Amino acid sequence: MHEAAVLDGPSVEELDLVEVLQALGDPVRLQIVRLLAGADGPIACHEMGLPVAKSTGSHHLKVLREAGVITAEIDGTRKYHTLRRSDLEARFPGLLESVLQRGERTKR
Amino acid sequence: MHEAAVLDGPSVEELDLVEVLQALGDPVRLQIVRLLAGADGPIACHEMGLPVAKSTGSHHLKVLREAGVITAEIDGTRKYHTLRRSDLEARFPGLLESVLQRGERTKR
């Protein structure tokens, strides 16, 4: 059994508040974060049912990963994504939970 | 004694999570928010000691006001700004406090 490769992202200590806020400040990226928060395990992009083109979805996932909001694990030709919930909670206590509890659709 | 005019912003019900996160996701705007959070009363732009040109500072204040993070009150030729702390807390419980408690300087 091979091990899946995990794409690099910032460590907990490197998580930057401005970058995390910018990453969260987009309706599609918030949708991804909520989806991953409610998931049992890692989710691939094509399983997310995002309302955007595949390349746009990939871009949003990259922004989230580079800000340290999610991890991406490569398995064969697919990337599986996980929310870094405990890392974010350790660095910015309460931030992610306050964002997740506002679950209704935003204006745009 | 004349009454100062208050510039319009969204009502509590109209506050939009994406817009608020976008407004907070900037180092200068976070600096303004922290400054206002620690202030005894309204503060004018020129009293903020922002590390940017006056026009840039005005732009950031406008973004914060339009997102509903701050109010602006016109008094003569000056605008005085106040953080909408209780409005934000009512609409997005815990969000502003989680941002404010991370008080150290961000990477950029």
Side-chain angles (χ1 to χ4, degrees):
Chain A
M1 187 176 156
H2 71 285
E3 277 195 29
V6 178
L7 292 178
D8 274 349
S11 67
V12 177
E13 296 71 31
E14 286 170 340
L15 289 171
D16 180 74
L17 182 56
V18 168
E19 285 176 34
V20 169
L21 290 169
Q22 284 174 351
L24 295 175
D26 176 274
V28 175
R29 294 198 292 267
L30 267 190
Q31 182 179 342
I32 294 170
V33 166
R34 285 175 180 141
L35 192 77
L36 293 177
D40 287 332
I43 301 183
C45 186
H46 73 279
E47 299 171 325
M48 292 185 180
L50 300 177
V52 293
K54 190 172 176 241
S55 60
T56 308
S58 296
H59 166 74
H60 286 308
L61 288 163
K62 188 180 177 206
V63 170
L64 287 169
R65 180 173 60 76
E66 290 183 345
V69 177
I70 66 173
T71 58
E73 203 172 334
I74 296 179
D75 193 3
T77 58
R78 288 188 173 148
K79 282 186 204 156
Y80 288 87
H81 305 274
T82 309
L83 188 60
R84 293 179 62 179
R85 201 162 187 161
S86 60
D87 287 348
L88 289 163
E89 181 62 22
R91 180 92 169 117
F92 310 118
L95 177 62
L96 187 64
E97 298 310 316
S98 71
V99 167
L100 289 173
Q101 75 184 338
R102 179 57 52 178
E104 82 271 35
R105 292 193 67 78
T106 52
K107 278 191 300 188
R108 49 176 189 173
Chain B
M1 186 176 155
H2 70 287
E3 278 197 28
V6 177
L7 293 179
D8 273 347
S11 68
V12 177
E13 296 71 29
E14 286 170 340
L15 289 172
D16 179 75
L17 182 56
V18 168
E19 285 177 33
V20 168
L21 290 170
Q22 284 174 351
L24 295 174
D26 177 275
V28 174
R29 295 198 290 268
L30 266 190
Q31 182 179 342
I32 294 169
V33 167
R34 286 178 179 138
L35 192 78
L36 293 176
D40 287 333
I43 302 183
C45 186
H46 74 279
E47 299 171 322
M48 291 186 181
L50 299 177
V52 292
K54 189 171 177 243
S55 60
T56 307
S58 297
H59 167 74
H60 285 308
L61 288 162
K62 188 179 178 208
V63 171
L64 287 169
R65 179 173 60 75
E66 290 183 346
V69 177
I70 67 173
T71 58
E73 206 172 332
I74 296 178
D75 193 4
T77 58
R78 287 189 174 151
K79 282 186 204 157
Y80 289 87
H81 304 275
T82 309
L83 188 61
R84 292 178 64 178
R85 201 163 187 160
S86 60
D87 288 349
L88 289 164
E89 181 61 22
R91 179 91 169 117
F92 310 117
L95 177 62
L96 188 63
E97 298 310 316
S98 72
V99 167
L100 289 173
Q101 75 183 339
R102 181 54 55 175
E104 83 271 35
R105 292 192 67 76
T106 52
K107 281 191 299 189
R108 47 175 193 177

